[in-house]
Amino acid sequence: MKVAVDFEECLKDSPRFRAALEEVEGDVAELELKLEKLVKLCIAMIDTGKAFCAANKQFMNGIRDLAQYSNKDVIVETSLTKFSDTLQEMINYHTTLFDQTQRSIKAQLQMFVKEDIRKFKDAKKQFEKVSEEKENALAKNAQVQRNKQHEVEEATNILTATRKCFRHIALDYVLQINVLQSKRRSEILKSMLSFMYAHLTFFHQGYDLFSELKPYMNDLGAQLDLLGVDAAKEKRDMEQKHSTIQQKDFSSDDTKLEYNVDAASGVVMEGYLFKRASNAFKTWNRRWFSIQNNQLVYQKKFKDNPTVVVEDLRLCTVKHCEDIERRFCFEVVSPTKSCMLQADSEKLRQAWIKAVQTSIATAYREKGDESEAKKKSSSPSIGSLESGSESKEKLLKGESALQRVQCIGGNIACCDCGLADPRWASINLGITLCIECSGIHRSLGVHFSKVRSLTLDTWEPELLKLMCELGNDVINSIYEAKVERMGVKKPQPGSQRQEKEDYIRAKYVEKKFVERQPASISPPEYATKVLPQSQEEKRHNIPEKSPLAGDQITASPTAVAVSSDEVRRESLFCPDELDSLFSYFDTSSKLRSIRSNDSGTQHSANDSREHLASTISTNSLYEPGEKRDSSVFHDSKQLHPGLQLYRAAYEKNLPDMAEALAHGADVNWVNTEENKATPLIQAVLGGSLVTCEFLLQNGANVNHRDVKGRGPLHHGTVLGHTGQVCLFLKRGANQHATDEEGKDPLSIAVEAANADIVTLLRLARMNEEMRESEGLYGQPGDETYQDIFRDFSQMASNNPEKLNRFQQSDSEKS
């Protein structure tokens, strides 16, 4: 290698050596600055390249979105997909290029600067230090006097040692300089060569990629030429058609006047008509009307569901209206209502009247044909429960939440201002609202009102059923009981927002208009009898060694115990029981069967499962020998609101429950006289899914436990209420909680051999474990878990007759 500094000159420490050192040191310092600048520029280039790749990737996503949007045009979708895939590959090549640049330029040169140049600097510092020590030793040796022999010897020894050390360090320094001067050439060229090879690979890959795409691009270019010719031809045809239409006579604006009762689409006639509103203002609105499926319907917008004016054209008649000021009016009259309509011209009015009359005649004829066909095809068999429930399920699915809720009394107008056709609801109050009042309800907070859209949001079946149990009339009879007596003016649809807000706050937050009178009279037997408890509850409450157990359950031990074979047969993992995942039971009908059984005993060991599910004890919630305080059951006119809510929850009386909450009842009120039970636990014992949903929506604690350590989930499991168990699990019930006997809901369900509830509990537990394993940013839940729970909820609300495993097996035996 070429020597930058001579070793011989190093030993002499001549001026030439010092000059060479100074030149090399300046060169190395400048080299360091150049390399550091190059590394910084490389980092900036890499960062900019990554930003370019990110922006390019977003552009590719835009192309893919455009391709998906163009899924009806095969050529556009295919071309955009191919181009986006190719450009995505180029982005990947770019990313690889920047990674290689980082390794070849940034990493290698930074290492050279940090390691080799730093070693040079360290050697320079040592050389400068030993040079200074040598100069000091020479000066001291020159200054010592000859008559001081001791000092002469000491100075001589120091000078000798210093010179020796200087030679070693100087030789090392020179070696480091020469190595650095040689290595810098190879390091710089090696890194740049690697960088250039990376570019070579990048462009070569891009060339190969586009070479493969080129034939397709050529074919597409040829297709575009043909498309251009076709587009020009279509343009000429359109221009010719446009000019032909312009030459026609437009003296009359009447649209198509024909109607066709045999149209393939089923639409006899359609077009715009003015409709007079049924409100007090009698305003006229232009709507799109059509006669289809023997009904007269209209739409405000194309995407809106049609509103039915006349359900059955056979029950209506149509006539001219000449007694009003507007022209071209006619009236469609049915037994329940009449609808005033206006056409744009006399010709159109006559056409609509003839279309309605013809449709009426056709409807009579078709209905007669259908009845004849039904008589011929009808069979004496009743048909399976499966087919009936499926048709019912389809009917409910096709019916929108808006239509179902607005069928309830008072729900066709806003509960607070009376505006027609409300599209919002307060789910914890069970009322419908207009959009302005819904905004005011939102401002009250969810502890007063939980607002949801009737058209935009998804409605759980139990929530929809809750809305249908209450309604504006019921709630207003409670929250507006004193409005007239107080002389308060209720806001109108046109009232100012502040006026509406003041009224709504006074109504729901301050409850100024609630009648402060005792609750309504309860059934007389309730005032003297404590709520009953099922035999299934008793079986889990009484200790095994208690002598009272034999007195209360008179059947043999085999009538209560479930064999291990039966448990396995009912378990989640047996093939014949996997179908039980969609085999559900009706808690309300089950409760009726429980109440109808007065004996409390079963007659054979084979009926053990029916014994567990349907036997009811004549004893109360209290243990034998436990004294109950009769002060709890005062006259119903003096009931505490909490006790009123407690009783109404068991009786499934939602209006009484809403009234109790309006009177200030605590939704989590605890009855200390009945094992510290809450209204939610009473709702479970009452067997109503809707009552439980109402309490939960109003803030009931799903994990509150009674004196025996049992929460709503325990009680629902003991009673076999699958719908309630599903609801509580969806609302966050703790299934790991154990009662005083150390049993959690899963162990109770396994003991009762209830495969449906075991399935739900195990699925919920598996889903909980999966979420915990996925950490903080995991998915909210497994899709299979959510689908199964959604199916259970649908069945519990819409087809509860499918949910009773025990009653089905009982009917099969009989």
Side-chain angles (χ1 to χ4, degrees):
M1 73 179 178
K2 182 179 178 181
V3 179
V5 180
D6 191 11
F7 287 95
E8 296 296 334
E9 295 294 335
C10 167
L11 296 176
K12 296 177 183 179
D13 194 16
S14 63
R16 290 189 299 274
F17 172 67
R18 293 289 179 169
L21 283 182
E22 185 177 357
E23 182 182 356
V24 169
E25 289 170 355
D27 181 59
V28 172
E30 187 175 0
L31 174 64
E32 184 181 11
L33 291 175
K34 298 293 184 183
L35 291 178
E36 288 179 347
K37 180 180 179 181
L38 183 62
V39 169
K40 288 181 180 178
L41 292 174
C42 179
I43 293 174
M45 179 187 69
I46 292 172
D47 293 340
T48 306
K50 289 181 178 178
F52 165 76
C53 289
N56 211 347
K57 189 172 293 185
Q58 292 180 354
F59 178 66
M60 292 307 102
N61 293 334
I63 295 177
R64 289 195 178 97
D65 291 341
L66 181 59
Q68 292 178 357
Y69 167 77
S70 308
N71 56 359
K72 295 181 180 179
D73 192 330
V74 179
I75 296 178
V76 175
E77 182 186 19
T78 305
S79 301
L80 292 180
T81 303
K82 279 184 174 292
F83 293 159
S84 62
D85 292 341
T86 301
L87 294 176
Q88 181 62 50
E89 283 297 317
M90 289 302 302
I91 294 174
N92 297 336
Y93 296 158
H94 264 112
T95 304
T96 304
L97 173 64
F98 294 130
D99 291 340
Q100 291 177 344
T101 302
Q102 185 171 5
R103 288 194 298 269
S104 60
I105 300 294
K106 177 185 171 184
Q108 290 187 19
L109 294 184
Q110 271 187 338
M111 185 178 297
F112 178 72
V113 171
K114 290 181 179 179
E115 292 185 4
D116 295 300
I117 295 181
R118 181 167 293 177
K119 288 180 181 179
F120 166 78
K121 289 183 176 180
D122 294 340
K124 177 184 175 183
K125 288 180 181 178
Q126 291 180 356
F127 175 76
E128 290 175 347
K129 182 179 179 182
V130 76
S131 295
E132 185 178 354
E133 291 176 355
K134 177 188 171 186
E135 292 296 331
N136 292 336
L138 287 171
K140 188 176 181 181
N141 183 66
Q143 293 171 1
V144 71
Q145 298 177 6
R146 67 176 62 184
N147 56 357
K148 296 180 180 181
Q149 190 64 32
H150 176 69
E151 294 182 1
V152 170
E153 291 179 0
E154 182 180 356
T156 303
N157 292 335
I158 292 174
L159 179 60
T160 303
T162 304
R163 281 177 174 170
K164 185 176 180 181
C165 182
F166 173 78
R167 289 191 184 97
H168 283 292
I169 292 178
L171 287 172
D172 291 342
Y173 184 36
V174 171
L175 177 62
Q176 189 66 35
I177 290 173
N178 291 327
V179 170
L180 179 65
Q181 293 287 51
S182 175
K183 190 174 182 180
R184 74 176 184 179
R185 178 189 300 168
S186 61
E187 289 293 329
I188 293 173
L189 292 178
K190 184 170 67 174
S191 63
M192 287 304 300
L193 183 61
S194 176
F195 178 66
M196 297 307 292
Y197 270 117
H199 274 79
L200 175 63
T201 303
F202 168 73
F203 286 108
H204 186 70
Q205 288 175 331
Y207 176 78
D208 292 341
L209 183 65
F210 278 90
S211 296
E212 295 176 359
L213 187 65
K214 186 177 180 180
Y216 178 79
M217 294 171 64
N218 293 335
D219 293 341
L220 182 60
Q223 291 183 24
L224 286 178
D225 294 338
L226 295 176
L227 289 175
V229 173
D230 294 339
K233 182 179 179 182
E234 289 178 0
K235 183 180 178 181
R236 288 194 301 270
D237 294 341
M238 291 293 178
E239 290 175 348
Q240 184 176 1
K241 187 178 295 185
H242 178 262
S243 60
T244 303
I245 293 175
Q246 277 186 333
Q247 294 173 3
K248 288 185 177 180
D249 181 19
F250 285 95
S251 58
S252 175
D253 289 335
D254 291 341
T255 54
K256 185 178 179 181
L257 302 179
E258 296 82 3
Y259 58 89
N260 184 8
V261 293
D262 299 322
S265 61
V267 179
V268 177
M269 186 172 180
E270 58 184 1
Y272 281 104
L273 294 172
F274 282 93
K275 176 183 178 294
R276 190 174 71 178
S278 58
N279 55 25
F281 300 101
K282 304 297 182 182
T283 56
W284 291 83
N285 300 303
R286 196 163 187 255
R287 298 289 183 261
W288 179 263
F289 278 81
S290 61
I291 301 173
Q292 52 182 312
N293 301 324
N294 297 325
Q295 292 179 334
L296 179 63
V297 299
Y298 72 89
Q299 290 174 273
K300 184 177 180 181
K301 296 180 180 178
F302 179 72
K303 293 183 179 179
D304 294 344
N305 291 324
T307 301
V308 179
V309 179
V310 178
E311 289 281 353
D312 192 341
L313 287 175
R314 295 179 302 165
L315 304 179
C316 74
T317 184
V318 59
K319 63 180 182 178
H320 295 77
C321 287
E322 306 296 347
D323 55 347
I324 60 175
E325 295 181 357
R326 284 182 170 248
R327 301 176 300 158
F328 319 132
C329 293
F330 62 98
E331 188 176 14
V332 179
V333 183
S334 69
T336 57
K337 61 182 177 179
S338 65
C339 181
M340 187 69 69
L341 303 174
Q342 181 186 20
D344 294 337
S345 66
E346 180 61 28
K347 291 182 179 179
L348 277 175
R349 178 171 73 162
Q350 295 297 335
W352 274 102
I353 291 175
K354 289 182 179 178
V356 173
Q357 292 172 344
T358 306
S359 299
I360 293 172
T362 305
Y364 273 108
R365 185 171 62 255
E366 289 179 352
K367 292 296 181 180
D369 295 342
E370 288 180 6
S371 60
E372 290 296 327
K374 285 182 179 178
K375 289 180 181 179
K376 293 179 180 179
S377 61
S378 61
S379 62
S381 62
I382 298 175
S384 65
L385 178 65
E386 183 76 19
S387 61
S389 61
E390 283 180 0
S391 61
K392 181 180 178 183
E393 184 176 358
K394 290 179 181 177
L395 175 63
L396 293 177
K397 285 183 177 178
E399 197 173 10
S400 68
L402 178 65
Q403 291 172 330
R404 292 190 63 184
V405 173
Q406 287 189 348
C407 290
I408 308 304
N411 284 7
I412 59 173
C414 175
C415 184
D416 295 328
C417 73
L419 182 66
D421 195 21
R423 298 301 178 98
W424 297 82
S426 174
I427 57 178
N428 62 314
L429 293 172
I431 59 176
T432 58
L433 302 166
C434 66
I435 187 169
E436 186 174 18
C437 291
S438 70
I440 298 173
H441 274 254
R442 285 186 191 275
S443 66
L444 301 180
V446 293
H447 52 294
F448 287 109
S449 184
K450 300 177 181 178
V451 179
R452 184 176 290 192
S453 171
L454 285 167
T455 56
L456 303 177
D457 292 326
T458 302
W459 285 75
E460 296 84 357
E462 60 269 17
L463 196 56
L464 194 57
K465 210 166 185 179
L466 167 62
M467 291 293 300
C468 296
E469 289 287 336
L470 292 171
N472 295 355
D473 289 347
V474 173
I475 297 302
N476 280 341
S477 68
I478 298 171
Y479 284 88
E480 295 181 352
K482 299 193 299 183
V483 166
E484 293 184 2
R485 292 205 306 273
M486 294 175 64
V488 177
K489 183 180 179 182
K490 185 172 180 178
Q492 299 299 315
S495 301
Q496 296 294 324
R497 179 182 174 89
Q498 188 59 45
E499 181 183 348
K500 293 181 181 179
E501 185 172 353
D502 293 341
Y503 179 82
I504 289 172
R505 287 189 177 276
K507 179 178 177 181
Y508 299 106
V509 179
E510 302 169 14
K511 300 177 182 177
K512 287 184 178 181
F513 316 131
V514 175
E515 185 68 67
R516 300 298 178 183
Q517 290 182 355
S520 59
I521 298 176
S522 301
E525 68 273 13
Y526 196 92
T528 58
K529 186 181 295 183
V530 185
L531 301 177
Q533 184 183 28
S534 69
Q535 184 69 23
E536 187 74 359
E537 292 266 39
K538 276 293 179 184
R539 188 171 69 84
H540 287 278
N541 283 342
I542 300 175
E544 293 179 3
K545 297 182 180 180
S546 172
L548 297 172
D551 297 334
Q552 294 184 7
I553 303 176
T554 59
S556 63
T558 57
V560 178
V562 180
S563 68
S564 59
D565 292 338
E566 285 181 327
V567 173
R568 285 194 297 270
R569 190 184 67 79
E570 298 286 351
S571 69
L572 175 63
F573 303 103
C574 292
D576 59 334
E577 282 304 318
L578 287 176
D579 292 336
S580 70
L581 197 59
F582 301 100
S583 170
Y584 309 86
F585 67 91
D586 178 8
T587 57
S588 59
S589 62
K590 176 183 175 182
L591 192 63
R592 289 193 296 270
S593 68
I594 290 176
R595 289 175 177 170
S596 64
N597 189 350
D598 297 328
S599 65
T601 59
Q602 300 293 326
H603 301 288
S604 69
N606 294 332
D607 295 335
S608 60
R609 186 175 294 105
E610 287 74 12
H611 176 78
L612 291 175
S614 59
T615 306
I616 184 167
S617 173
T618 58
N619 295 320
S620 70
L621 285 171
Y622 301 97
E623 292 294 333
E626 188 177 347
K627 185 178 180 181
R628 58 185 174 94
D629 187 0
S630 61
S631 63
V632 178
F633 302 102
H634 295 300
D635 186 83
S636 59
K637 293 183 179 181
Q638 302 176 0
L639 283 181
H640 183 274
L643 185 55
Q644 180 187 1
L645 178 65
Y646 183 84
R647 290 185 174 187
Y650 180 80
E651 296 170 347
K652 299 176 281 190
N653 191 334
L654 263 69
D656 274 7
M657 295 172 68
E659 185 178 15
L661 291 176
H663 289 158
D666 181 5
V667 73
N668 293 310
W669 183 79
V670 176
N671 192 341
T672 56
E673 300 296 329
E674 292 189 5
N675 294 334
K676 295 185 177 181
T678 62
L680 184 57
I681 293 178
Q682 288 302 104
V684 177
L685 299 178
S688 172
L689 182 69
V690 179
T691 307
C692 296
E693 175 68 17
F694 178 72
L695 292 170
L696 291 171
Q697 288 296 339
N698 283 278
N701 184 358
V702 74
N703 289 315
H704 181 89
R705 294 193 277 175
D706 59 15
V707 72
K708 297 183 180 296
R710 292 181 179 173
L713 186 59
H714 279 86
H715 287 280
T717 304
V718 169
L719 295 173
H721 293 174
T722 306
Q724 293 177 349
V725 170
C726 180
L727 176 65
F728 296 146
L729 289 174
K730 290 197 299 181
R731 295 297 190 271
N734 179 15
Q735 63 163 309
H736 301 286
T738 57
D739 58 12
E740 63 180 8
E741 297 179 6
K743 295 180 179 180
D744 60 5
L746 180 59
S747 61
I748 294 174
V750 171
E751 181 181 346
N754 192 321
D756 297 329
I757 296 181
V758 169
T759 298
L760 286 174
L761 292 170
R762 282 179 173 166
L763 281 174
R765 188 166 295 188
M766 290 169 59
N767 184 67
E768 183 180 330
E769 292 172 355
M770 288 171 60
R771 292 179 62 183
E772 290 177 354
S773 64
E774 291 177 359
L776 180 63
Y777 300 102
Q779 295 294 325
D782 179 64
E783 290 184 3
T784 304
Y785 162 82
Q786 294 176 355
D787 290 342
I788 291 174
F789 268 68
R790 191 181 302 112
D791 289 338
F792 267 98
S793 298
Q794 290 283 352
M795 278 296 178
S797 296
N798 299 334
N799 299 93
E801 65 274 2
K802 284 190 176 183
L803 279 174
N804 196 337
R805 164 186 300 278
F806 303 116
Q807 288 187 0
Q808 286 176 358
S809 61
D810 187 29
S811 62
E812 289 173 2
K813 290 178 182 179
S814 61

